[in-house]
Amino acid sequence: MTTEPADPPSARGTLSREKVVRTAVAMADASGGKVPSTRKLAEQLGVQAMALYHHFRNKDALLDGMVDLVFAEVELPAEGDDWKTAMRRRAASMREALVRHPWAIALMDSRANAGMATLRHHNAVIGCLRAQGFAVAGAAHAFSLLDAYIYGFVLQELALPFESPGDLQEVAAPILEQAAAEGFPHLAELAVEHALKPGYDYADEFWIGLDLILDGLEQRRGTWT
């Protein structure tokens, strides 16, 4: 009968729940979004796979921890903050976290066993909205709408085939040529008169859309009971 060699004392002594989670997050980031297998994570940590089960009973528990770590990076509303200012800061912070960890978008709201950072985050957002005039239903509507916008924008932003104005010029050239040849004047107009103007940054669209949503919530918050 053969058994796996035991982990060296140095590896067992330095392994912690936080170290396992942070390593898993770093590996997912580095791989372009693929959550590491238990075997590969153990190899990266220099331990046997069984050692991980002292901290996480299964892969789902590890995913819970990874998502919780991402939520911990998001700025929370402070007590007494103006709700629009707080939601704007929180949206910016959430977007930055999701750009750092794009694998997390599909997992953020899928966990049945939320961690403390996740619960703290949700409670703070709801509390801020409730404290400043949103009914329970209104807070739910606002929370859902804001997250749908943030998650969706980041997915679109990460999928774009350009990162800089120079890249955009290269991408737009064949599109403009085709638009002229096939008779799509509105597409050509948008590219020339907007996207290809000096100083254009697609990231600005995030703030424009966010302010439209916040203004709309301001108008409707008194109508939800």
Side-chain angles (χ1 to χ4, degrees):
M1 180 178 177
T2 60
T3 59
E4 290 185 339
D7 298 324
S10 58
R12 293 200 306 269
T14 59
L15 194 63
S16 66
R17 182 183 177 88
E18 181 178 2
K19 184 174 182 178
V20 173
V21 172
R22 290 192 178 279
T23 301
V25 166
M27 291 177 70
D29 295 344
S31 71
K34 186 177 180 181
V35 176
S37 67
T38 302
R39 179 180 60 80
K40 290 185 177 180
L41 177 57
E43 289 176 357
Q44 182 69 22
L45 289 164
V47 299
Q48 297 298 321
M50 288 302 297
L52 301 181
Y53 294 109
H54 292 293
H55 302 281
F56 297 95
R57 64 185 180 277
N58 53 38
K59 184 70 172 288
D60 272 342
L62 175 60
L63 291 175
D64 292 342
M66 293 172 68
V67 168
D68 205 47
L69 187 64
V70 177
F71 269 114
E73 295 181 6
V74 180
E75 181 177 350
L76 298 180
E79 187 175 351
D81 278 356
D82 169 71
W83 76 268
K84 288 178 76 172
T85 301
M87 292 304 112
R88 204 170 192 271
R89 285 202 306 262
R90 180 252 178 187
S93 181
M94 176 68 82
R95 176 182 168 220
E96 291 169 359
L98 293 178
V99 168
R100 287 192 299 271
H101 314 295
W103 52 268
I105 296 174
L107 298 172
M108 295 295 274
D109 293 317
S110 70
R111 312 318 302 160
N113 297 297
M116 290 302 296
T118 304
L119 296 173
R120 188 179 301 111
H121 169 271
H122 286 41
N123 188 68
V125 173
I126 295 167
C128 177
L129 295 170
R130 290 284 290 124
Q132 298 193 40
F134 283 81
V136 173
H141 300 332
F143 204 168
S144 177
L145 177 59
L146 285 165
D147 277 3
Y149 175 70
I150 298 164
Y151 295 176
F153 189 92
V154 172
L155 283 172
Q156 184 174 20
E157 185 176 25
L158 293 173
L160 291 173
F162 59 85
E163 294 183 2
S164 67
D167 294 337
L168 178 56
Q169 292 281 350
E170 291 184 13
V171 170
I175 295 175
L176 280 173
E177 183 178 344
Q178 183 179 10
E182 302 294 341
F184 298 118
H186 302 302
L187 178 59
E189 179 186 43
L190 186 145
V192 173
E193 298 297 327
H194 182 62
L196 294 178
K197 280 193 170 182
Y200 174 77
D201 186 347
Y202 180 74
D204 292 340
E205 304 290 352
F206 179 77
W207 303 108
I208 293 168
L210 179 60
D211 284 341
L212 285 170
I213 289 172
L214 293 174
D215 289 346
L217 290 172
E218 174 68 51
Q219 292 177 12
R220 293 294 303 276
R221 66 172 172 156
T223 67
W224 290 313
T225 57

